[in-house]
Amino acid sequence: MAATVVSLATSLTAAVVPSSFSSSSSFVFTKLWSKPCLRITFSVSPFSYSRGRGKLMAHSLARATLGLTQPANIDAPKIAISAKEIDVAEWKGDILAVGVTEKDMTKDDSKRFENSLLKKLDAKLGGHLSEASSEEDFTGKPGQSLVLRLPGLGSKRIGLIGLGQSATNTYAFRNFGEAIAAAAKTAQACNVGIVLASTGSTTNESKLNTASAIASGTVLGTYEDTRYKSDSKKPVLKSVDILGFGTGPELEKKLKYAEDVSSAIIFGKELVNSPANVLTPAVLAEEATKIASTYSDVLSATILNAEQCKELKMGSYLGVAAASANPPHFIHLCYKPPSGPIKAKLALIGKGLTFDSGGYNIKTGPGCFIELMKFDMGGSAAVLGAAKAIGQVKPPGVEVHFIVAACENMISGTGMRPGDILTASNGKTIEVNNTDAEGRLTLADALVYACNQGAEKIIDLATLTGACVVALGPSIAGVFTPSDELANEVFAAAEASGEKLWRMPMEESYWESMKSGVADMVNTGGRQGGAITAALFLKQFVDEKVQWMHIDMAGPVWNEKKRTATGFGIQTLVEWVQQHSS
């Protein structure tokens, strides 16, 4: 991609840095952009742009200039999920999906199932189920599925979905739900019944969590982001019946929670999937404001422009933003419960680089992934997705601040250069030895801002380093924190959500590589231990009294095989906030 800056809005001249902007203003900013504090409200909640209903966003002129691209207004899948307690053989619908482990597929000497449910279903089907599973070499391994159209049951088809040797956690059951969605899509099924061949001696809480994970996986597996395709098909699946888990208000509440969080994950996916010529910092801010407007009984929004950030002395953040024709927008949503006392104050911070060229240290060569740098705002998508879910769930007793320093890292004569010194809002100075280590510069001022809000615990999420991907691969996020208590809380939340985290060391001796001869620190310490030194850098901007965690999600933000965003982090954040509610 060319390194030159293309103005997205030649008609919006106020958004362009003046030509008289002094080259000596590398960290003392004169006049940037002078838009007033953005407090736009909308009544539409999903991330979409309606055609034929007028412009939803003030930035729509700019958005349409480059490429004339506008995403189609496609609603998220509407799937009715309910729990029923009926004879599964009598259930009527398109597919009865049975989750089976490898142990469930054990057969006796006569090649008939030993599992009681499979034995019952096989008898209704005249033995054809056991016969077909043997012929197709279906053994219940994860990823295996077998869908058959056989007479004898209330359903038109029966499907066996493999769970592997055992299925005991949220991750496995969510994958099970996604496999069901794939089978339903192939069969063009409108309604699906879901049952497990073996439930084991599970507790009531375990059953609730299992049902929730299956429901969430089915909804997420059904969803496909086709907003930028000229031709798209709507999902056929309309209803899901979860069988064998009981019924009642407690289960209904859990399924509603799964629906709310799944909706938030889809929203987060759409944000990350949107290209930089559509999702500018201004558009990201407007999406945040719409969330606050939709849940205005519990959420408020404050959007700061560059001039207001300058007043707060956010030189680190503004240094990154200086090169772009798209002005920065500092996003702050605040959740307060509708009633009752507040017992905990939390803050969630997401890195919000809507595009990262690398700046003067431009991303070049194989593996730099410059074409995917739209996902460098994955942390902000997780935070705003969590805000959407929290607005729906409305947990009592907890105040939550959702903070994003949104901007682009581009190249121009007004941009920061290697060797420039930036001054963060806590007064610390930073020598920029690599303009492509920009995310931590934006997070620095966001962390100071969060501490000033009185947050007792802070989690920041960022697609921060390639080093963390090298260390942990594409599926696991790295966790850095000096607080064992906070680590235990977040790992419990991740376990409940089915997301994978791994705690990394905060090796203080590595800070030696971050020292500058002319400033308080440099912004990167080299290749070795790069994810650790990045976390140590962020620590310099956190009040010592505050419990803080950094999550490097550069790997799991994106599914390379499917070429799409994952929505990683949202459910863990919501679960963590729920832990602190009373």
Side-chain angles (χ1 to χ4, degrees):
M1 180 176 289
T4 54
V5 174
V6 180
S7 173
L8 293 186
T10 54
S11 61
L12 299 180
T13 54
V16 181
V17 179
S19 59
S20 60
F21 191 54
S22 171
S23 62
S24 65
S25 301
S26 59
F27 72 98
V28 180
F29 290 83
T30 54
K31 185 175 181 181
L32 292 174
W33 302 278
S34 56
K35 287 188 177 181
C37 179
L38 182 64
R39 297 189 68 86
I40 303 172
T41 57
F42 295 84
S43 58
V44 183
S45 57
F47 175 53
S48 59
Y49 307 98
S50 175
R51 290 173 175 167
R53 292 191 299 176
K55 295 181 177 68
L56 293 180
M57 297 187 178
H59 201 64
S60 56
L61 282 175
R63 193 180 65 247
T65 301
L66 183 60
L68 304 179
T69 301
Q70 294 188 18
N73 184 29
I74 299 175
D75 293 331
K78 303 291 185 183
I79 302 174
I81 300 176
S82 58
K84 295 183 178 179
E85 197 64 44
I86 61 173
D87 184 345
V88 295
E90 301 300 324
W91 178 84
K92 297 185 183 301
D94 290 329
I95 298 178
L96 176 65
V98 185
V100 295
T101 64
E102 293 177 42
K103 182 179 179 181
D104 294 330
M105 294 303 296
T106 303
K107 298 185 175 81
D108 59 22
D109 293 339
S110 58
K111 296 185 179 181
R112 300 301 181 190
F113 292 114
E114 294 182 353
N115 177 272
S116 58
L117 177 62
L118 293 179
K119 184 184 294 185
K120 175 183 177 180
L121 294 174
D122 195 32
K124 292 274 188 179
L125 296 170
H128 294 303
L129 184 61
S130 57
E131 182 180 333
S133 66
S134 296
E135 290 179 352
E136 298 295 330
D137 196 27
F138 180 89
T139 60
K141 292 180 179 179
Q144 281 190 314
S145 62
L146 176 66
V147 179
L148 303 168
R149 190 178 184 106
L150 296 171
L153 299 177
S155 60
K156 296 177 183 177
R157 298 176 182 85
I158 183 169
L160 300 181
I161 311 295
L163 294 171
Q165 291 185 350
S166 63
T168 58
N169 57 40
T170 303
Y171 181 80
F173 287 119
R174 180 184 284 186
N175 286 343
F176 171 52
E178 291 182 0
I180 291 170
K185 181 179 180 180
T186 301
Q188 291 291 289
C190 292
N191 39 65
V192 172
I194 302 173
V195 66
L196 296 178
S198 298
T199 56
S201 56
T202 54
T203 63
N204 183 56
E205 182 181 2
S206 177
K207 284 186 177 182
L208 293 174
N209 292 336
T210 298
S212 175
I214 293 171
S216 178
T218 305
V219 172
L220 295 174
T222 302
Y223 173 74
E224 182 181 356
D225 192 353
T226 58
R227 295 168 301 145
Y228 297 98
K229 295 184 178 182
S230 57
D231 185 26
S232 61
K233 295 180 180 180
K234 292 185 177 180
V236 175
L237 186 61
K238 301 298 181 186
S239 67
V240 171
D241 292 336
I242 296 181
L243 313 174
F245 287 86
T247 57
E250 195 175 10
L251 181 54
E252 289 177 9
K253 181 180 179 180
K254 193 68 175 179
L255 293 177
K256 176 63 168 61
Y257 173 78
E259 180 184 347
D260 291 342
V261 175
S262 296
S263 173
I265 292 172
I266 288 171
F267 171 73
K269 285 184 175 185
E270 290 186 345
L271 288 177
V272 177
N273 284 337
S274 292
N277 63 322
V278 173
L279 189 76
T280 62
V283 172
L284 186 62
E286 290 161 352
E287 288 300 322
T289 309
K290 287 199 295 182
I291 296 171
S293 176
T294 303
Y295 308 105
S296 58
D297 57 328
V298 291
L299 281 170
S300 61
T302 300
I303 310 297
L304 305 179
N305 63 24
E307 193 64 32
Q308 291 165 317
C309 291
K310 179 185 172 184
E311 292 173 4
L312 294 176
K313 304 185 185 303
M314 295 184 180
S316 185
Y317 164 46
L318 293 175
V320 176
S324 178
N326 287 304
H329 289 71
F330 191 93
I331 301 164
H332 176 201
L333 302 185
C334 181
Y335 167 84
K336 292 185 179 180
S339 62
I342 293 172
K343 298 180 180 180
K345 290 187 178 182
L346 313 176
L348 303 176
I349 301 173
K351 177 182 171 183
L353 269 292
T354 57
F355 187 76
D356 176 21
S357 70
Y360 278 105
N361 293 102
I362 191 170
K363 296 178 184 291
T364 58
C368 71
F369 297 117
I370 192 171
E371 73 281 4
L372 288 177
M373 282 301 108
K374 65 180 183 179
F375 74 39
D376 215 18
M377 43 63 65
S380 68
V383 166
L384 295 180
K388 183 179 188 298
I390 294 299
Q392 291 174 289
V393 176
K394 297 177 175 53
V398 60
E399 177 179 308
V400 190
H401 298 268
F402 306 89
I403 297 168
V404 175
C407 64
E408 294 180 328
N409 184 25
M410 300 297 288
I411 301 173
S412 76
T414 64
M416 67 176 179
R417 297 145 296 207
D420 283 355
I421 296 177
L422 310 179
T423 303
S425 48
N426 65 348
K428 293 188 178 182
T429 57
I430 308 157
E431 180 185 3
V432 179
N433 61 357
N434 190 326
T435 61
D436 196 23
E438 83 302 326
R440 66 199 69 182
L441 297 174
T442 66
L443 291 171
D445 282 325
L447 285 164
V448 174
Y449 182 91
C451 291
N452 290 338
Q453 303 307 308
E456 299 156 348
K457 298 180 181 180
I458 298 173
I459 298 176
D460 77 70
L461 299 92
T463 49
L464 207 64
T465 67
C468 201
V469 185
V470 171
L472 299 177
S475 302
I476 305 171
V479 169
F480 302 82
T481 179
S483 171
D484 292 339
E485 178 186 336
L486 184 55
N488 291 336
E489 291 175 1
V490 174
F491 274 88
E495 179 68 22
S497 72
E499 295 183 319
K500 296 182 178 181
L501 306 177
W502 191 263
R503 191 172 182 182
M504 303 287 278
M506 296 278 289
E507 180 53 57
E508 293 291 344
S509 65
Y510 289 7
W511 182 248
E512 285 295 317
S513 68
M514 298 293 287
K515 291 182 177 179
S516 166
V518 293
D520 293 332
M521 67 195 82
V522 292
N523 70 322
T524 182
R527 293 177 62 85
Q528 293 183 333
I532 298 173
T533 53
L536 292 173
F537 176 90
L538 295 177
K539 185 183 175 185
Q540 310 308 307
F541 303 92
V542 181
D543 192 300
E544 291 182 356
K545 298 178 182 178
V546 176
Q547 292 187 48
W548 158 77
M549 172 182 287
H550 163 60
I551 300 178
D552 192 331
M553 52 181 285
V557 69
W558 189 255
N559 185 319
E560 181 61 27
K561 183 178 180 180
K562 296 181 180 180
R563 304 288 294 174
T564 188
T566 62
F568 183 88
I570 294 172
Q571 187 157 356
T572 294
L573 294 181
V574 177
E575 290 284 346
W576 181 65
V577 171
Q578 287 278 80
Q579 287 178 7
H580 290 82
S581 67
S582 56

